[in-house]
Amino acid sequence: MCAKMQRERYATITCMNRLIRLDFLPQNYDMALLVLRVWIGFSLFVQHGVSKIANFSAMGEHFPNPVGIGPHWSLVLALISDAVCSVLLILGFAARWAALYIVVVLGAAFALVHHFALSGPQSGELAYVYAGVALTIFLAGPGRYSMDRRKRNK
């Protein structure tokens, strides 16, 4: 093989390796945390928070009561998680506290209501996923693009 062909082959392999490793994309953990917070917060609010707000009185009568405080107060605790804390996550305001609250409430729902089931008719897969993402945000923090960070820098 001539030297020119070897250089061309090496350049092609190097280019392919950069493409496979996605080296052309910058790593930005703060942007990733922002996307994660907004994605999960928006989903939790729209899919669960809004329905709890809109149907509070109807849901209050038959909401699960896993910790023995009554269906009404169990619904209130879930509403705080799904409506209030999800918005706090989106904004990145008191984000670690909001994430911790979500982990506790959805962890309790996964364990006590869904009995750790990840499939089947009483699946708690969604609670498990939401709690896992909230745990990640709790451990990592909200990132640079958050109200918490802006407040701290002033």
Side-chain angles (χ1 to χ4, degrees), residues 46-64:
V46 170
Q47 295 296 321
H48 302 280
V50 170
S51 67
K52 285 181 177 70
I53 293 169
N55 304 313
F56 185 83
S57 58
M59 291 178 81
E61 299 168 5
H62 66 275
F63 199 77

Side-chain angles (χ1 to χ4, degrees), residues 1-20:
M1 224 185 233
C2 70
K4 182 180 177 185
M5 288 177 66
Q6 284 180 332
R7 281 192 305 271
E8 288 175 1
R9 184 170 180 234
Y10 178 75
T12 302
I13 290 172
T14 302
C15 183
M16 288 173 55
N17 282 338
R18 288 191 73 228
L19 182 65
I20 290 169

Side-chain angles (χ1 to χ4, degrees), residues 124-136:
E125 178 184 14
L126 200 52
Y128 178 78
V129 171
Y130 281 135
V133 173
L135 180 61
T136 302

Side-chain angles (χ1 to χ4, degrees), residues 141-152:
R144 178 183 300 157
Y145 308 117
S146 66
M147 290 180 71
D148 286 346
R149 181 64 61 97
R150 292 179 64 88
K151 187 174 66 175
R152 192 174 351 146

Side-chain angles (χ1 to χ4, degrees), residues 19-35:
L19 182 65
I20 290 169
R21 289 191 313 259
L22 301 176
D23 284 345
F24 58 91
L25 293 174
Q27 290 183 354
N28 188 335
Y29 298 107
D30 292 309
M31 184 60 72
L33 286 168
L34 172 66
V35 169

